Amino acid sequence: MKPRLLWIGYGDIAQRTAPLLVKQGWQVVGVCRQPERKTAPAGVELVAASANNETELKALFDEPVAAVVITLTPNDYSRDGYHQAYVVPCRHLQQVFNQLAEPPRVLYVSSTGVYGQTHGEWVDEESATEPTSDSGEMLLQAERVIQGSAATVSVLRCSGIYGPGRERLRQQIQAGTAVISPTWTNRIHSDDVAGFIGHLLAHPEHCEDVYLVTDSQPLLQQDAYARIAAQLGVAITELPRSDKVGARGSKRLSNQRLLATGYQLLHPELASTSER
């Protein structure tokens, strides 16, 4: 019998990862509020449930569950909206996991927004987490809640995710409205987020508490924008500039723990060609 995997928050990353997991032999169940609006490949079952409803979440575990992947997104980009999207579901899941005779393996997809460094420091999984935004604070609180459950939890802190369907920055650069500031930036392709999730699930011996999911080359914002501009066939010479570090801070992220698992990045750095 195939091991059953629940994906709570079946969105873009879930849709990219699900075919990999099906090939690995998982029975994938995608959980979202409106499954009729989603498409699922063969081998993936979509079910309706709210991550904010503990009764509905508990019912998902009427059958044995070997693994859970959690990718939550807010509907409201306010402090309370982040709290409802990140912290409340994790509290419910903590209660559900604590009542199970055999809690599942859990991967919780978070963000490097939990770090607040602003001076270009090198940051790894052991660095201080002092978020400076509401979203970062609520993500860190949610991490701590889910890690306090009876399940074996790995938190995946992703840097800026790019790839097909994530067009905002490209549009801003093409329109000439993106602002260049003197900050370090870090990125990860959506295919590598999916690939690393599949890799961890295929290799349960890799179960560190936290992984930084980022590529191998932090870039100054100017250099990152120049590479994206080259893909678009435009220049960055006319882009506005600022001498202030933005809300996302300025840091260089280390992916040594990720690489130590044996995962090979599909996109080890941001390309300057049309490859996306």
Side-chain angles (χ1 to χ4, degrees):
M1 187 175 184
K2 293 182 178 180
R4 190 162 175 259
L5 179 145
L6 292 182
W7 195 301
I8 298 175
Y10 192 84
D12 174 62
I13 296 299
Q15 292 175 70
R16 291 181 181 279
T17 315
L20 304 177
L21 301 181
V22 171
K23 288 181 180 179
Q24 289 179 9
W26 292 93
Q27 177 192 351
V28 179
V29 179
V31 181
C32 54
R33 291 177 184 270
Q34 297 176 307
E36 67 277 6
R37 295 188 177 183
K38 308 284 185 177
T39 58
V44 177
E45 174 191 2
L46 298 183
V47 299
S50 170
N52 292 78
N53 187 311
E54 190 169 320
T55 300
E56 292 181 2
L57 289 174
K58 188 174 182 179
L60 298 170
F61 293 84
D62 287 346
E63 298 178 44
V65 174
V68 176
V69 183
I70 306 167
T71 49
L72 303 172
T73 55
N75 293 320
D76 176 10
Y77 296 96
S78 65
R79 186 176 182 85
D80 184 63
Y82 294 127
H83 184 267
Q84 293 297 321
Y86 301 139
V87 180
V88 172
C90 286
R91 285 180 177 162
H92 291 319
L93 287 167
Q94 182 191 62
Q95 293 301 313
V96 172
F97 295 156
N98 289 348
Q99 296 173 38
L100 297 175
E102 295 185 19
R105 169 87 186 276
V106 176
L107 303 184
Y108 179 74
V109 179
S110 184
S111 165
T112 55
V114 300
Y115 298 106
Q117 287 80 353
T118 59
H119 299 292
E121 301 98 321
W122 277 101
V123 168
D124 63 15
E125 290 83 358
E126 305 304 322
S127 298
T129 49
E130 298 175 347
T132 57
S133 66
D134 289 339
S135 60
E137 288 183 21
M138 294 301 104
L139 278 166
L140 184 60
Q141 187 174 337
E143 287 182 11
R144 290 170 175 169
V145 170
I146 202 69
Q147 287 179 317
S149 73
T152 299
V153 179
S154 291
V155 171
L156 278 55
R157 293 176 179 160
C158 298
S159 60
I161 302 175
Y162 71 99
R166 299 173 185 268
E167 304 293 333
R168 184 181 178 191
L169 178 57
R170 295 171 63 87
Q171 291 169 351
Q172 290 175 333
I173 290 174
Q174 191 152 35
T177 59
V179 179
I180 298 175
S181 61
T183 61
W184 286 93
T185 67
N186 307 267
R187 301 185 186 281
I188 186 71
H189 196 284
S190 52
D191 286 344
D192 276 313
V193 178
F196 187 58
I197 290 171
H199 179 74
L200 286 184
L201 290 169
H203 297 276
E205 69 273 16
H206 299 303
C207 55
E208 297 282 358
D209 291 344
V210 178
Y211 291 94
L212 289 187
V213 183
T214 191
D215 71 18
S216 297
Q217 188 179 43
L219 292 170
L220 286 168
Q221 191 175 73
Q222 174 172 304
D223 296 333
Y225 285 10
R227 292 191 185 190
I228 296 170
Q231 296 173 14
L232 298 169
V234 301
I236 64 168
T237 51
E238 301 302 319
L239 290 181
R241 295 176 179 263
S242 170
D243 60 358
K244 296 181 179 179
V245 173
R248 295 186 178 183
S250 176
K251 51 192 174 287
R252 288 174 284 177
L253 302 175
S254 168
N255 65 1
Q256 291 305 300
R257 182 175 289 182
L258 176 151
L259 296 177
T261 69
Y263 180 71
Q264 296 184 349
L265 289 163
L266 301 171
H267 304 268
E269 62 182 68
L270 182 65
S272 57
T273 65
S274 59
E275 179 187 358
R276 293 170 58 193

